[in-house]
Amino acid sequence: MQIFLGISFILFLAYNMVIALELKYEADGDAWDYIHLGLSVAKTGKYGHLDSSREQLLNDLKYEKIKNTEYNFIGSTAFRPPIWPFLIAGIFLVFGYNLIFVLVFKFLLHLLGVFIFYKTLKLLKLKDILIVIGAFLYGISPAWQLYSRVFLSEPITLFFITLWLYLLIRFVVHKSSWWPQAIIAGVLVLCHPYYIFLPFSIWFILFIKKKLKIKILIFSSVICIAVISVWVIRNFIVMETNEIILTTSSGAVMAKGWNSKVVKNHTNTKGDLADEGLVLKEFEYDKNIGYKEVERMQLYKDATLDFIRSNPELILPIIGKKLLSAFNPFPETPRSGILETGRWLFQFLALLSLIYILFFSRNKLIQSLAIGLILSTIGISILTYSGFRFRMPQAGLEMLFIIFVIDDILKRNKFHFNFKIAKTI
């Protein structure tokens, strides 16, 4: 079986690499922003925007002109989280300005993630065959396949969540080396702020269930915050602000999750369908001045808070809509394709596994992971919004739940079967 699964995994990986290579010069939207920021850091040493269009930079990448071309730096930014752009910059500086190297890095990182996930399942002492199947399913995850073909940060976040879970579980099981998981937790948040509550919520539940001492909870939180603070301090200095900024996109993201059309338009497939500009329509502000990045972030936040204060009757419907959407494994608008079908199937199994863990499992570690994920999802969904794309990096944690539950059910049935045999003897 291992040989069959290994060959199948290689074929899946190769197919996705072929698709990714075909699409590499079609990067746009958020995916392009990460490439642009990586180029900025590599070429100027500064995190921001270059005075060049997307079309021109893609053309320069395609025809290998980047290395010998000078670009003007036109302004710093904090709109995107930093980890993925800095990794891209490092790839460009070490291997050259070619998007193929970025894709190869992503796929090699995923291979490492598969190995780490395998080691994580081993720590839980599950059945060997389930460990192999779990690692295989992690490797061919439909969610990973969908986003491995573009340059978004979600696949990289999947890796850091996987690494953090391994380090955390290893510490809980073996009671040694607690600090690496605290550092990676900070890196995880700087990779994707959607998961800002995840480490803290899981640590807290582990403490409640007496799987983590209070000093480890405090020290882990301090180290995690310290790692995050490096970026916050950078933003203090570079963006010339007194605001605590993780990303300046936080204002627009809040506005997307809190406006008059969320109840009608929000879905888990298009979570940001609603226009963030809606909160500005009923908000009084000076429309004649040009708002800088930080000022615009604050404008959206102020307008969002004003919307909440002015529409108390919409608070519960909006929260209810976003939470139902966040935990709904099924697409709320049609999404065609076998990968989309595979994604919601895995998410449905993950939901069933989550319910089983909450009500039937006696494993305090796994229960802590499950409850922590639920609390984290509730917190970020209320504050901003959720969706299939943002949920993608937790695919490894969801797969862990599925494999654990299958193993637990098999062990329970074996116990009952052996018990019945013993009674008949």
Side-chain angles (χ1 to χ4, degrees):
M1 176 177 280
Q2 287 90 333
I3 295 176
F4 171 76
L5 293 180
I7 294 173
S8 299
F9 173 63
I10 292 172
L11 292 175
F12 275 109
L13 204 68
Y15 175 75
N16 273 277
M17 175 61 84
V18 170
I19 300 297
L21 289 171
E22 292 177 353
L23 299 175
K24 64 182 181 296
Y25 294 119
E26 298 179 18
D28 58 6
D30 293 356
W32 168 247
D33 280 355
Y34 289 108
I35 296 297
H36 186 181
L37 289 169
L39 285 171
S40 174
V41 173
K43 291 296 293 183
T44 69
K46 299 176 182 179
Y47 190 91
H49 303 295
L50 301 176
D51 186 16
S52 188
S53 68
R54 166 185 169 274
E55 290 73 19
Q56 183 60 54
L57 287 172
L58 281 174
N59 186 72
D60 290 350
L61 281 166
K62 187 174 183 178
Y63 294 102
E64 300 182 357
K65 297 179 180 179
I66 297 288
K67 182 178 181 180
N68 298 318
T69 303
E70 295 294 326
Y71 299 95
N72 295 323
F73 182 81
I74 60 174
S76 297
T77 185
F79 197 77
R80 302 292 179 190
I83 295 299
W84 184 216
F86 276 108
L87 287 174
I88 291 173
I91 294 166
F92 284 150
L93 290 171
V94 173
F95 299 103
Y97 294 93
N98 193 316
L99 293 179
I100 292 177
F101 297 135
V102 179
L103 291 175
V104 170
F105 172 82
K106 285 175 57 180
F107 278 72
L108 290 176
L109 197 68
H110 186 59
L111 285 173
L112 180 58
V114 173
F115 176 72
I116 292 172
F117 187 71
Y118 171 84
K119 297 288 287 184
T120 304
L121 297 181
K122 293 282 285 186
L123 284 171
L124 297 174
K125 297 181 179 180
L126 308 180
K127 293 182 180 296
D128 289 341
I129 186 63
L130 289 180
I131 292 174
V132 173
I133 293 174
F136 170 74
L137 293 176
Y138 175 99
I140 67 164
S141 164
W144 176 82
Q145 291 189 62
L146 284 166
Y147 293 107
S148 65
R149 302 169 180 180
V150 291
F151 298 102
L152 293 168
S153 64
E154 276 75 14
I156 311 305
T157 312
L158 167 65
F159 171 79
F160 282 113
I161 288 181
T162 302
L163 177 59
W164 176 66
L165 286 173
Y166 168 71
L167 295 172
L168 177 64
I169 293 173
R170 187 183 67 175
F171 166 69
V172 172
V173 171
H174 296 306
K175 303 299 181 184
S176 62
S177 300
W178 62 270
W179 56 268
Q181 59 88 25
I183 294 174
I184 295 301
V187 174
L188 163 61
V189 173
L190 290 179
C191 192
H192 208 312
Y194 176 84
Y195 290 97
I196 189 170
F197 299 128
L198 184 64
F200 303 100
S201 60
I202 289 179
W203 288 331
F204 180 71
I205 300 301
L206 283 169
F207 165 70
I208 294 296
K209 290 187 173 291
K210 299 181 180 180
K211 301 297 288 185
L212 205 68
K213 294 182 179 179
I214 183 64
K215 67 177 182 179
I216 301 300
L217 168 64
I218 294 172
F219 290 159
S220 293
S221 299
V222 169
I223 289 179
C224 179
I225 292 171
V227 172
I228 297 170
S229 295
V230 173
W231 182 245
V232 174
I233 293 170
R234 176 266 182 192
N235 294 335
F236 271 137
I237 299 170
V238 175
M239 305 305 291
E240 299 179 348
T241 180
N242 293 322
E243 298 286 336
I244 297 177
I245 299 174
L246 194 54
T247 65
T248 51
S249 62
S250 59
V253 171
M254 283 182 63
K256 287 176 184 288
W258 284 98
N259 59 71
S260 58
K261 292 190 176 182
V262 169
V263 174
K264 180 181 179 181
N265 289 355
H266 178 83
T267 69
N268 54 16
T269 50
K270 295 181 179 179
D272 60 353
L273 183 63
D275 179 10
E276 67 268 26
L278 290 172
V279 295
L280 301 180
K281 291 185 177 181
E282 304 297 329
F283 184 68
E284 292 186 7
Y285 68 101
D286 191 344
K287 300 179 177 65
N288 297 317
I289 65 174
Y291 289 87
K292 295 181 180 179
E293 189 172 306
V294 175
E295 294 169 338
R296 192 158 189 82
M297 175 200 71
Q298 193 58 52
L299 173 63
Y300 277 127
K301 286 185 176 181
D302 292 341
T304 301
L305 293 175
D306 181 74
F307 168 82
I308 294 172
R309 287 191 295 265
S310 303
N311 299 273
E313 75 283 358
L314 290 178
I315 293 177
L316 289 180
I318 287 176
I319 289 176
K321 173 67 174 180
K322 292 195 293 184
L323 290 182
L324 286 173
S325 179
F327 289 99
N328 184 2
F330 305 108
E332 294 172 336
T333 57
R335 301 293 290 267
S336 60
I338 189 171
L339 291 181
E340 292 290 351
T341 301
R343 170 159 63 176
W344 71 250
L345 177 59
F346 275 117
Q347 289 175 173
F348 175 65
L349 293 175
L351 179 61
L352 294 179
S353 300
L354 201 63
I355 295 171
Y356 178 93
I357 290 167
L358 292 178
F359 293 101
F360 301 106
S361 174
R362 301 186 189 93
N363 189 305
K364 293 181 179 180
L365 170 58
I366 300 300
Q367 276 193 339
S368 298
L369 297 178
I371 297 171
L373 177 62
I374 291 171
L375 293 178
S376 172
T377 302
I378 290 173
I380 198 65
S381 297
I382 292 175
L383 183 63
T384 58
Y385 62 89
S386 184
F388 277 4
R389 173 183 155 189
F390 289 172
R391 180 175 172 171
M392 177 267 168
Q394 68 193 52
L397 182 53
E398 293 175 345
M399 183 57 63
L400 186 150
F401 292 153
I402 294 171
I403 298 301
F404 172 83
V405 167
I406 293 173
D407 182 83
D408 195 61
I409 291 173
L410 290 175
K411 287 178 179 177
R412 285 171 181 263
N413 288 338
K414 182 179 180 180
F415 170 79
H416 291 309
F417 179 73
N418 290 338
F419 181 73
K420 288 180 180 179
I421 292 177
K423 287 182 67 177
T424 60
I425 297 177

